[in-house]
């Protein structure tokens, strides 16, 4: 399963699932992509189908492994990953080094175990109000689920996860 960033940073008022779907299509990817965010309907830990959570590695757009599987992101250690493995956007830029993302922080709205934090997810990702709060993680910590709180008016990286693996019928 691929973990890919949206092509631009977003504040707390976002239609992230739609953006993930649209940018994946524009990039020619055939799988379904969902936002790497807890929402009012779903905890982040359950975004990937149950059948795909244990046996598929989580990789960047170039196929380099970030996590051994989906479940390993939510083992309580904050989603520790190797910061030397880049995270790419749908248009192929490395979010860790590209200036289009001046703040190297990702929104997630979750606990370290991938459960939604209702008080810290920018009112279900519907507000960029300075007084509203969202849970996010600075990537320089080497964690996708570090527990930091930021104002929803910040423009941060939004990740998308391929949420269903479809094997190539021609393969």
């Amino acid at each position: 399963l691929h973990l890919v960033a949206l092509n631009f940073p977003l504040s707390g008022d976002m239609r992230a699932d739609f953006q993930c779907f649209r940018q994946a299509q524009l990039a020619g990817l055939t799988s379904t992509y969902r936002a790497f965010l807890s929402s009012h309907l779903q905890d982040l830990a359950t975004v990937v189908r149950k059948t795909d959570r244990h046996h598929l590695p989580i990789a960047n757009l170039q196929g380099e492994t970030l996590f051994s599987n989906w479940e390993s992101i939510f083992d309580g250690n904050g989603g520790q990953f190797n910061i030397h493995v880049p995270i790419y956007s749908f248009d192929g830029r490395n979010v860790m080094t590209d200036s289009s993302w001046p703040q190297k922080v990702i929104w997630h709205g979750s606990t370290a175990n991938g459960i939604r934090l209702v008080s810290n997810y920018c009112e279900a990702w519907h507000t960029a109000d300075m007084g509203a709060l969202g849970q996010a993680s600075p990537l320089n910590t080497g964690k996708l689920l570090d527990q930091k709180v930021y104002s929803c008016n910040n423009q941060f990286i939004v990740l998308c996860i391929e949420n269903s693996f479809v094997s190539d019928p021609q393969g």
Side-chain angles (χ1 to χ4, degrees):
L1 298 176
H2 294 97
L3 187 67
V4 187
L6 289 177
N7 293 334
F8 43 79
L10 292 171
S11 63
D13 182 13
M14 59 178 103
R15 295 180 59 206
D17 276 335
F18 174 72
Q19 292 285 352
C20 289
F21 172 78
R22 191 167 160 272
Q23 289 188 26
Q25 278 193 321
L26 291 170
L29 302 171
T30 54
S31 301
T32 303
Y33 281 79
R34 293 271 316 278
F36 186 85
L37 297 168
S38 280
S39 70
H40 66 290
L41 297 174
Q42 190 168 37
D43 293 323
L44 175 55
T46 63
V47 169
V48 168
R49 288 189 323 189
K50 212 173 246 175
T51 54
D52 292 337
R53 291 181 197 164
H54 300 289
H55 64 283
L56 296 172
I58 308 302
N60 67 15
L61 210 48
Q62 305 296 326
E64 299 168 291
T65 301
L66 289 157
F67 298 96
S68 57
N69 61 35
W70 180 250
E71 290 287 321
S72 68
I73 299 172
F74 308 103
D75 63 7
N77 75 359
Q80 188 78 47
F81 71 100
N82 180 348
I83 58 170
H84 301 294
V85 177
I87 296 173
Y88 295 104
S89 58
F90 283 106
D91 59 10
R93 293 174 293 153
N94 179 347
V95 300
M96 318 278 250
T97 58
D98 194 285
S99 61
S100 300
W101 298 271
Q103 295 176 284
K104 309 303 183 190
V105 178
I106 65 151
W107 288 119
H108 60 75
S110 312
T111 66
N113 295 318
I115 307 304
R116 77 195 92 163
L117 282 166
V118 179
S119 59
N120 288 347
Y121 72 157
C122 299
E123 296 173 21
W125 308 112
H126 285 90
T127 184
D129 188 276
M130 203 163 132
L133 300 173
Q135 203 81 354
S137 182
L139 289 178
N140 64 1
T141 62
K143 294 180 177 191
L144 288 189
L145 296 173
D146 203 26
Q147 300 295 298
K148 302 267 192 277
V149 179
Y150 296 90
S151 168
C152 295
N153 68 334
N154 282 291
Q155 297 220 335
F156 291 155
I157 299 163
V158 176
L159 298 178
C160 304
I161 183 69
E162 188 175 10
N163 82 324
S164 58
F165 177 73
V166 182
S167 57
D168 183 356
Q170 273 72 41

